[in-house]
Amino acid sequence: MVNRTPRASMSMRDRMGKLDVKVSPYLYIAPFFLLFLITGLFPILYTGYVSMHDWDLIGGQGEWVGLQNYQAVIDAQGFSKALRNTFSIFLLSSVPQVIMAIFLAYMLDANLRAKTFWRMGVLVPYVVAPVAVGLIFAKLFAEGSGLINAGLGIFGVDPIGWQSSIFPSHLAIATMVNFRWTGYNTLIFLAAMQAIPRDIYEAAIVDGVNRVQRFFRITVPMLRPTIIFVVITSTIGGLQIFDEPRMFDTSGLGGANRQWMTMTMYIYELGWGPRKDFGQASAVAWLLFLIILVIGMVNFAITRRIASTGGAPNRRTRRLFKSQARPVSEGANR
């Protein structure tokens, strides 16, 4: 009589092993999704619930009003100003920021002396507290006694209304944002550049490709996935900007005519200002969430379109690499 107990025991171990392989990955990632459910998804859904009510900061929940809060904030003049200011500051900060970060990363990727010192130096502005940056730049861009206008006066330029005009105020706030975040994005691009195989650069150098051509034909094409990531994160952060415009003057209201009031500042004014209207503040928050979601979907569509070519060099570079690698391999075979 054959004893089948060991075979049954082995079969049980196999089933437990397969179950472990299938279940373990979900258990490993479960803490993140649980934390996101508590701190991310629930506040978003609860904000949507609040936006459907006449909700007061002190009085609490009122009656159900449906989409009336959304209609009220869309018709309000403050919403259109906040939306205009947010996109203006976002474009003035994010676009130059990404371009400067790529060029700085390319310079730091070269053979420099004291590489660690320069690489850590570009990250120092990111460590500075946003409130401190806002206070310092508010003094620099002050209209009456600011250092920027004083320097322009030396060259005969009339003082610029950094805090009274729309575009100059946006430019000043964008300068603050670029000061803080350019170094952070530079290190992200630098890490991506260091992952590019050096053999491709060596083959291009042997073929006579100069430094500028190597940058635009090798570095930039192979940085496309990283560029997309930085653009998406900069978009999310740029549309939620609050600290810099809030600290740009002493009142913190976005200017006398709300010329630099952003969407997040408008949310703060509606919810915690004199009106204390949590319903309309939640409606603006949800509209901002939908705007960011739409822009994120557009970025995702662009990502899928260029995914097939985003991580590879162009055809000429691949031919250069193959032409230089072929004699080496033939010589080794001989």
Side-chain angles (χ1 to χ4, degrees):
M1 184 175 181
V2 180
N3 188 5
R4 299 182 181 274
T5 303
R7 182 178 178 182
S9 177
M10 182 67 67
S11 177
M12 180 61 69
R13 285 197 296 268
D14 290 341
R15 287 196 295 269
M16 294 298 296
K18 292 181 180 179
L19 183 64
D20 178 65
V21 171
K22 293 180 179 180
V23 176
S24 294
Y26 296 98
L27 295 178
Y28 294 148
I29 64 175
F32 166 78
F33 286 98
L34 291 175
L35 186 63
F36 171 75
L37 179 65
I38 297 173
T39 62
L41 184 60
F42 173 75
I44 293 175
L45 297 178
Y46 189 71
T47 302
Y49 175 78
V50 174
S51 67
M52 299 290 183
H53 293 79
D54 183 13
W55 204 296
D56 186 76
L57 175 63
I58 300 176
Q61 181 178 353
E63 61 179 5
W64 173 273
V65 295
L67 299 178
Q68 292 182 13
N69 286 328
Y70 292 90
Q71 186 65 40
V73 297
I74 291 175
D75 294 338
Q77 187 178 6
F79 177 80
S80 60
K81 285 186 177 181
L83 189 62
R84 177 203 63 189
N85 298 338
T86 300
F87 274 95
S88 176
I89 296 172
F90 159 68
L91 293 176
L92 290 173
S93 59
S94 296
V95 176
Q97 181 185 138
V98 173
I99 296 174
M100 289 188 297
I102 294 176
F103 278 101
L104 284 175
Y106 190 67
M107 294 174 61
L108 292 175
D109 193 38
N111 292 325
L112 298 175
R113 294 183 179 180
K115 287 185 179 181
T116 304
F117 171 78
W118 296 112
R119 292 174 181 178
M120 293 299 296
V122 298
L123 194 63
V124 171
Y126 175 72
V127 182
V128 181
V131 176
V133 174
L135 292 174
I136 293 172
F137 275 81
K139 297 298 182 181
L140 290 175
F141 286 100
E143 297 183 9
S145 59
L147 183 61
I148 303 297
N149 279 341
L152 293 175
I154 298 176
F155 299 96
V157 180
D158 295 333
I160 299 176
W162 297 109
Q163 294 182 341
S164 59
S165 302
I166 297 176
F167 182 77
S169 63
H170 295 179
L171 186 61
I173 295 172
T175 304
M176 286 189 277
V177 178
N178 292 332
F179 172 78
R180 287 197 63 233
W181 290 97
T182 300
Y184 176 82
N185 292 325
T186 298
L187 293 186
I188 295 178
F189 285 124
L190 178 61
M193 288 181 185
Q194 291 180 338
I196 300 175
R198 298 299 167 179
D199 295 340
I200 300 178
Y201 288 112
E202 294 173 0
I205 293 173
V206 171
D207 194 68
V209 181
N210 58 41
R211 189 178 183 88
V212 177
Q213 292 175 333
R214 292 198 302 269
F215 176 77
F216 286 102
R217 296 181 179 180
I218 298 177
T219 305
V220 173
M222 299 192 73
L223 283 180
R224 286 179 184 175
T226 308
I227 293 174
I228 293 169
F229 168 78
V230 172
V231 168
I232 293 175
T233 55
S234 299
T235 301
I236 297 174
L239 295 178
Q240 295 178 343
I241 183 174
F242 179 80
D243 296 333
E244 290 83 358
R246 174 73 178 176
M247 300 302 300
F248 191 53
D249 65 350
T250 56
S251 64
L253 298 177
N257 296 320
R258 303 297 190 268
Q259 58 266 26
W260 70 80
M261 179 182 65
T262 61
M263 292 285 285
T264 51
M265 293 179 65
Y266 188 50
I267 294 172
Y268 183 84
E269 181 177 338
L270 288 175
W272 287 268
R275 299 176 58 178
K276 295 180 174 54
D277 192 338
F278 259 28
Q280 292 191 10
S282 299
V284 177
W286 249 89
L287 290 173
L288 178 61
F289 168 73
L290 293 177
I291 292 172
I292 295 174
L293 185 62
V294 170
I295 296 178
M297 292 175 64
V298 172
N299 288 330
F300 178 73
I302 297 174
T303 303
R304 293 191 60 183
R305 177 178 292 272
I306 66 176
S308 58
T309 60
N314 53 35
R315 294 180 179 178
R316 185 175 186 275
T317 304
R318 290 196 294 266
R319 289 199 300 268
L320 291 176
F321 178 71
K322 291 180 180 179
S323 64
Q324 298 299 326
R326 188 179 297 110
V328 176
S329 60
E330 292 177 356
N333 293 332
R334 290 176 185 175

